């Protein structure tokens, strides 16, 4: 039963007691691959792919459960496994959710299960997770993005959605533990053992392999040319469009209404890309220093989880200190007007022919009155 979005109470956490499994007889444990993000590493694309191909995957023995799903992902797990979950995460009773999951696995007869939510990347409730997945052969899958690239993407995303109104400097100062990847993964090592944590370095390349194919290869799931490939889900906005959204009085810009607005602004952004010297939030020297600050963390991840003797986690070249960069000056009034006109015209077109046909008569009548 989904509850209102709020942290669990002390009594609710104390009541998290799952029935122990009877493992007296030899059993074959169901493999469960838990994809924890991190956010901004094409998680939505992976989740949408798995959700749209649920039937095809079941036929191959792989279950992407409906249990604990919110949108196309298992964000309800994030509501259960985080001490202070984000307000958009769903809530559910842990025992009831586990029972439903076991029943769904039993009804499909699948040998492997995949669950995914980027909200799990920040969870520290190892005991709770171990109890919930007791009796499963648990494998953790994590995609990591180089710190400077992740930070810029996350900052723009959170400003777009209304999660932060901080300046770039203020935002950077609050991200230390988020960017310490080795320390972050250490909590998952304690939960499932280092041999059960699989890491992929997420990088943009000239000829990228589809991220959903990378994910399937990592977990050993079969490829199939017949899989449906849904369009990418997240909207990429230029800096003017992000600033335009940030000026709105409504602070949490989520849901279907804002999804439609963001899709239109994404089209505008493709027509009006950022100037090359204003694509980045932070200047090149700061981005280089950021990567160097976490170089030891990245070497640990490369060595411990990818068995790379050279300690290299990410292969893309660092920014050049001579790279042109100008601080974003803010949204100009004339640009805001242009964006507003574009948005209004597109929303008017989407309203449909009946609305469009009636609108001129209404305006004409008002003018004559």
């Amino acid at each position: 039963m989904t509850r209102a979005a709020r942290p669990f109470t002390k009594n609710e956490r104390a009541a998290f007691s799952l029935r122990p499994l009877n493992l007296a007889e030899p059993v074959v444990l169901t493999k469960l691959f838990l994809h924890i993000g991190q956010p901004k590493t094409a998680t939505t694309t992976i989740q949408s792919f798995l959700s749209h191909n649920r039937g095809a995957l079941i036929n191959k023995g792989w279950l992407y459960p409906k249990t604990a799903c919110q949108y196309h992902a298992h964000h309800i797990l994030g509501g259960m496994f985080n001490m202070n979950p984000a307000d958009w995460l769903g809530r559910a009773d842990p025992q009831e959710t586990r029972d439903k999951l076991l029943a769904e696995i039993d009804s499909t007869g699948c040998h492997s299960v995949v669950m995914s939510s980027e909200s799990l990347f920040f969870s520290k409730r190892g005991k709770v997770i171990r109890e919930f997945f007791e009796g499963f052969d648990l494998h953790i899958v994590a995609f990591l993005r180089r710190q400077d690239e992740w930070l810029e993407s996350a900052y723009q995303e959170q400003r777009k959605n209304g999660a932060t109104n901080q300046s770039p400097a203020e935002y950077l100062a609050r991200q230390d533990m988020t960017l310490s990847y080795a320390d972050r993964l250490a909590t998952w090592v304690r939960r499932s053992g280092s041999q059960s944590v699989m890491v992929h370095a997420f990088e943009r390349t000239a000829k990228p392999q589809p991220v959903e194919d990378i994910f399937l290869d990592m977990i050993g799931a079969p490829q199939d040319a017949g899989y449906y490939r849904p369009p990418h889900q997240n909207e990429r906005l230029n800096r003017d469009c992000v600033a335009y959204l940030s000026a709105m009085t409504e602070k949490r810009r989520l849901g279907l209404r804002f999804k439609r607005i963001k899709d239109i602004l994404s089209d505008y952004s493709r027509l009006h890309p950022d100037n090359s010297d204003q694509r980045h939030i932070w200047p090149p020297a700061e981005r280089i220093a950021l990567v160097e600050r976490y170089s030891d963390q990245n070497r640990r991840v490369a060595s411990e989880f990818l068995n790379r003797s050279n300690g290299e986690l990410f292969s893309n070249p660092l920014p050049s200190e001579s790279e042109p960069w100008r601080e974003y000056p803010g949204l100009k009034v004339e640009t805001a007007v242009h964006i507003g006109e574009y948005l209004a015209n597109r929303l008017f077109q989407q309203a449909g022919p009946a609305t469009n046909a009636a609108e001129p008569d209404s305006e004409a009548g008002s003018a004559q009155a």
Side-chain angles (χ1 to χ4, degrees):
M1 180 181 300
T2 302
R3 298 178 179 151
R6 57 169 177 78
F8 285 120
T9 66
K10 181 178 180 180
N11 289 338
E12 286 172 330
R13 290 197 293 270
F16 196 120
S17 177
L18 302 176
R19 293 189 295 272
L21 300 182
N22 180 6
L23 300 179
E25 297 296 326
V27 295
V28 177
L29 301 181
T30 300
K31 281 189 175 183
L32 193 146
F33 296 89
L34 188 62
H35 176 216
I36 64 171
Q38 83 191 117
K40 306 308 300 175
T41 58
T43 51
T44 305
T45 298
I46 293 171
Q47 292 155 357
S48 179
F49 170 82
L50 294 171
S51 178
H52 280 93
N53 290 285
R54 180 177 280 113
L57 289 166
I58 288 176
N59 291 336
K60 300 176 186 299
W62 289 77
L63 174 64
Y64 190 67
K66 294 182 179 179
T67 301
C69 253
Q70 180 184 356
Y71 311 118
H72 289 302
H74 300 97
H75 296 315
I76 290 174
L77 295 182
M80 292 193 296
F81 297 161
N82 284 290
M83 294 294 293
N84 295 295
D87 56 9
W88 60 270
L89 292 172
R91 306 289 193 274
D93 176 73
Q95 183 66 68
E96 182 180 327
T97 303
R98 177 183 157 102
D99 289 344
K100 286 182 178 179
L101 175 61
L102 294 174
E104 187 174 357
I105 295 170
D106 185 61
S107 68
T108 60
C110 289
H111 56 73
S112 299
V113 180
V114 184
M115 303 186 82
S116 175
S117 174
E118 60 271 30
S119 65
L120 296 172
F121 187 75
F122 306 105
S123 175
K124 297 180 181 179
R125 301 187 69 189
K127 181 176 182 294
V128 175
I129 293 173
R130 281 196 303 273
E131 290 179 349
F132 187 88
F133 292 114
E134 184 180 358
F136 289 94
D137 180 13
L138 183 62
H139 300 259
I140 306 303
V141 183
F143 280 44
L144 301 176
R145 190 170 181 176
R146 200 175 72 191
Q147 283 85 349
D148 60 319
E149 297 176 355
W150 181 87
L151 192 72
E152 295 211 319
S153 181
Y155 179 67
Q156 288 290 77
E157 179 77 7
Q158 292 193 18
R159 288 196 66 216
K160 177 179 73 176
N161 293 334
T164 186
N165 59 0
Q166 295 173 319
S167 69
E170 292 170 334
Y171 186 81
L172 176 59
R174 297 173 60 91
Q175 300 301 317
D176 183 59
M177 284 302 298
T178 301
L179 302 175
S180 299
Y181 295 157
D183 291 343
R184 179 64 57 181
L185 291 176
T187 60
W188 288 100
V189 170
R190 291 193 295 271
R191 292 166 190 159
S192 58
S194 60
Q195 297 304 311
S196 296
V197 179
M198 296 178 286
V199 173
H200 172 72
F202 178 82
E203 298 186 277
R204 306 284 186 188
T205 60
K207 295 181 179 179
Q209 181 184 4
V211 68
E212 58 269 30
D213 289 346
I214 294 173
F215 183 82
L216 293 178
D217 287 343
M218 283 183 71
I219 66 176
Q223 300 279 358
D224 192 322
Y227 286 142
Y228 171 68
R229 307 281 177 163
H232 288 184
Q233 298 294 307
N234 282 336
E235 320 85 0
R236 293 187 181 181
L237 307 186
N238 68 17
R239 300 190 69 178
D240 285 333
C241 286
V242 172
Y244 183 88
L245 282 174
S246 298
M248 292 184 173
T249 56
E250 191 163 343
K251 298 307 179 185
R252 294 297 284 167
R253 295 178 284 276
L254 300 171
L256 183 60
R257 177 164 60 97
F258 279 106
K259 168 68 174 165
R260 180 177 296 179
I261 291 172
K262 292 170 191 172
D263 284 341
I264 295 173
L265 294 182
S266 180
D267 292 339
Y268 179 93
S269 297
R270 281 190 287 271
L271 296 172
H272 304 87
D274 289 315
N275 293 330
S276 59
D277 58 356
Q278 291 184 344
R279 290 175 185 168
H280 293 284
I281 310 297
W282 287 273
E286 285 192 35
R287 286 182 279 131
I288 294 170
L290 185 68
V291 176
E292 292 177 345
R293 186 187 312 167
Y294 296 99
S295 59
D296 287 342
Q297 290 273 327
N298 292 347
R299 277 193 290 270
R300 282 175 53 194
V301 174
S303 174
E304 295 175 20
F305 299 100
L306 295 173
N307 295 317
R308 294 179 179 175
S309 57
N310 63 359
E312 183 180 85
L313 179 57
F314 301 105
S315 58
N316 281 354
L318 291 175
S320 168
E321 291 190 1
S322 61
E323 173 186 301
W325 182 86
R326 282 190 301 132
E327 186 173 2
Y328 176 64
L331 181 63
K332 297 178 180 178
V333 173
E334 56 267 31
T335 305
V337 171
H338 192 242
I339 292 173
E341 290 176 342
Y342 183 88
L343 184 60
N345 289 335
R346 286 287 303 276
L347 288 171
F348 184 74
Q349 292 168 8
Q350 292 179 6
T355 303
N356 294 346
E359 192 68 27
D361 293 338
S362 174
E363 289 186 357
S366 299
Q368 292 170 359

